[in-house]
Each structure stands twice: as structure tokens, then as C-alpha cells.
Amino acid sequence: MQKKVSQGMVDEWIEHVSAFTQLGKVADYIPALEKQDRENIAIGVYHLDGECVGAGKVENTFTIQSISKVLALALALMDQGEDYVFARVGKEPSGDPFHSIAKLETTNPSKPLNPMINAGALAVTNMIEGTTPDEKVGRLLAFVHELANDHSIQYDQEIANSEYETAYLNRSLAFFMKQHHVIEGSIEELLDTYTKQCAIEVNIKQLARIGAVFANEGKDIESGRQIIPRQLARICKTFMVTCGMYDASGSFAIRVGIPAKSGVSGAVMGSVKDFGGIAVFGPALDEKGNSVVGMQLLEMLSSRLELSIF
Ligand code: DON
């Protein structure tokens, strides 16, 4: 029997976690993110039969931040193929914080350990086809439009600018990788593309629908069209399991046990085979950079419906 989340369940879970919105810290290293309201919490679930439930601030929009790393990876893999991409980015968890530069120097030959840490994500974005940042971002947005089945999705210019102006660490990672021939071309254009990619703005149901396409082996959940080749969707979900929650991926696998990717905005996208796409949002983060309320919501959902893949 197909597992289903009811409206009553999501209402109950949001009610429960609303007592915890004061825990954790809203990200402030991207100045524009600091303005996010910690009370803005939401959950959305998109079942593979197209039925969708949501609770909390379902109309609120937020930026996807690091969740974009999964989408950029899928697009770069479709553009360049597995061999090209994985000659430049590794497949192993780093065990380090997402913005760490440490292993770039100690790994030989120097290449980022995986596409979910910032170094790896910058290298992946560099591989997206297109001659200008606008063209690359345009292709990424067109891809997101297909995944969400919604052509209105854009990026938030203020948040993109705010990150672009303060992305000193990401610039350092990019310069280091350019020296080692992992990336090529203009660093400023790469940062322009990457910060716009991270600032793509969605609501909770749009994000859940994107997760559902990955859950559905890359096929659109309504039309059945193969948007992402099955093997590439599988690679993306595997990275979500091994590296999606950064250096908390191991404990998350035990606590929740679903392929998921978090972002510093406080959003998390999950994809569960034969079930659907999940999105949770809560701007206050724990010390690893994952949403406090989002983790609680995913834990309740996973245990109540027995969704752990392990
Ligand atoms: O590159 C950055 O630092 C942000 N645009 C994204 C980082 C992020 O979302 C990490 N998430 N936990």
C-alpha cells in the first residue's frame, strides 16, 4: 500500500515544532539572510500520484542555497557526462564544514572531495554549459521550471547581490581551484553564476515537487517524461545520502534515513523512492548549518511513515 501523508499529519507536526522556533541561529554570513523571520516554518509533501499537502507558511518563499548544488550537479552531468564531471570533483564525504578549504590542499591531485561542499559546487557550476553567467543561470532556471512544473520561478536579486559582495571564502576556494586547473575562466563570472543559483527562490510546495522528480527516478510525476536520466538522478540522490547534510550526514542517516539536502536559508529537500518529494523550512540553524525545525519535521515524518531507507 502506498504510504501517504494526510493534511491532519502535517498540521499536527507544524503545531508541534512551532514551540521550537527560538532554538538555533539564523544564518548571517550572507547579510540579506539575517532578515529571515524564524517563525516562518513550513512543510510540504508531494506524493508521486501528484497529490500534495502542506502546512505552516506555505505561501512564503525562500532561497534554495545549497539545495541548488543537487540541481546544478544534475545539469552538469547532463551537459558533460559522468566521466568529465568526476575527473574534476570527487565522490567521497569530506567530514569537514561545507565551506572548508582544508582538504583542497591535502588531497592529491587537488580536487574537491564531492559536489555538495562549496568547493565542489563551485567546480560543478563552472561545468554548466553556457558562455555567460546569464546563459548558465538561464539554463539552470529553465531546468528548475521543468522540475517544479512552474515557469514563474526566478532568483532573488537582493540575496544574490548580498552573497556576491561578501563571498570572500568562496572566491578563495575558486582561486585555489583555478591554480590547480580544476576550474577555468573568470572567477567573478563563476561567483556571479553561483550566487544567483543559490538565490533561486521557491515556496515549500515547489521545492517538494522538485524533490518528487528525483524520488521518481528523474521522471516528471505528472507527465512521466524523463527530465533527468535515471542513472544521473540516482547519483544525485546518493550524494544527498552521503554528503547532503554536510558533516552531520552520518547522524542524519541514523536519525532520519532519507536522501536529503539542506541549505543555509533553513530549507531541506528530501526524495524518497516510491513515496515522493519532501520540503521543510525553518530559518534557524543548528551548529552544522541544518534547520533545527526542519530536522524535527523530517524525523517525525520518517518515523511515523517508516521512510528510512536503511
Ligand atoms: O555558498 C554558500 O555559502 C551559500 N550560498 C550556500 C551554503 C549552504 O547553503 C550551506 N548549507 N548548509
Side-chain angles (χ1 to χ4, degrees):
M1 200 185 74
Q2 231 232 304
K3 292 178 181 175
K4 275 287 186 70
V5 172
S6 67
Q7 186 63 44
M9 287 179 193
V10 282
D11 287 340
E12 179 195 320
W13 296 334
I14 284 289
E15 165 87 30
H16 177 79
V17 298
S18 59
F20 301 100
T21 53
Q22 293 311 308
L23 300 179
K25 196 171 172 303
V26 178
D28 58 5
Y29 77 98
I30 299 173
L33 284 184
E34 202 182 4
K35 294 189 213 150
Q36 294 195 114
D37 178 357
R38 55 169 68 234
E39 302 292 337
N40 266 341
I41 60 172
I43 181 168
V45 176
Y46 231 109
H47 295 287
L48 296 184
D49 61 6
E51 199 182 315
C52 175
V53 290
K57 300 277 169 49
V58 292
E59 304 303 330
N60 182 40
T61 59
F62 48 84
T63 57
I64 59 174
Q65 296 301 327
S66 281
I67 299 167
S68 70
K69 294 169 179 175
V70 179
L71 313 181
L73 175 64
L75 188 58
L77 284 167
M78 290 192 283
D79 282 351
Q80 313 289 357
E82 279 182 60
D83 291 348
Y84 183 97
V85 171
F86 294 120
R88 289 158 182 81
V89 185
K91 296 177 182 164
E92 304 305 333
S94 72
D96 293 327
F98 62 87
H99 40 50
S100 177
I101 199 164
K103 292 219 171 70
L104 272 186
E105 197 176 17
T106 55
T107 309
N108 192 11
S110 183
K111 72 175 187 183
L113 277 169
N114 69 69
M116 300 292 122
I117 51 174
N118 283 9
L122 286 159
V124 166
T125 297
N126 189 241
M127 293 181 226
I128 292 175
E129 247 171 47
T131 46
T132 61
D134 279 352
E135 194 182 339
K136 288 182 188 219
V137 174
R139 292 191 62 245
L140 195 53
L141 277 172
F143 180 48
V144 171
H145 294 166
E146 279 190 278
L147 296 170
N149 192 28
D150 188 330
H151 291 249
S152 67
I153 295 172
Q154 290 300 326
Y155 62 84
D156 179 319
Q157 185 72 62
E158 186 197 342
I159 292 181
N161 285 347
S162 175
E163 181 172 9
Y164 181 79
E165 284 161 14
T166 53
Y168 308 115
L169 203 43
N170 281 336
R171 275 191 181 79
S172 313
L173 295 169
F175 275 113
F176 193 96
M177 290 187 289
K178 182 156 179 171
Q179 174 71 38
H180 290 275
H181 311 291
V182 176
I183 64 172
E184 48 200 42
S186 156
I187 301 293
E188 287 313 307
E189 288 191 2
L190 172 57
L191 265 292
D192 185 18
T193 311
Y194 175 78
T195 51
K196 285 174 179 161
Q197 156 194 324
C198 291
I200 291 174
E201 194 182 16
V202 294
N203 65 34
I204 204 80
K205 289 185 178 175
Q206 289 167 333
L207 187 60
R209 195 186 193 283
I210 295 172
V213 176
F214 283 91
N216 200 32
E217 317 281 11
K219 287 197 296 280
D220 187 83
I221 57 168
E222 270 136 308
S223 71
R225 195 171 70 79
Q226 196 83 44
I227 301 175
I228 308 162
R230 186 190 167 110
Q231 159 70 0
L232 302 187
R234 198 175 66 86
I235 291 174
C236 292
K237 281 184 287 185
T238 311
F239 278 119
M240 288 163 74
V241 170
T242 56
C243 321
M245 310 300 282
Y246 299 104
D247 45 335
S249 296
S251 51
F252 181 81
I254 293 170
R255 192 173 155 193
V256 180
I258 66 170
K261 182 74 201 85
S262 64
V264 285
S265 53
V268 186
M269 178 183 85
S271 299
V272 182
K273 196 173 169 179
D274 300 327
F275 172 74
I278 301 159
V280 292
F281 183 71
L285 309 177
D286 62 22
E287 65 287 352
K288 303 281 192 186
N290 295 318
S291 169
V292 174
V293 160
M295 293 302 97
Q296 292 175 332
L297 287 166
L298 290 172
E299 194 170 7
M300 285 189 287
L301 172 68
S302 174
S303 73
R304 179 85 172 260
L305 278 91
E306 295 186 31
L307 292 183
S308 174
I309 62 170
F310 300 105

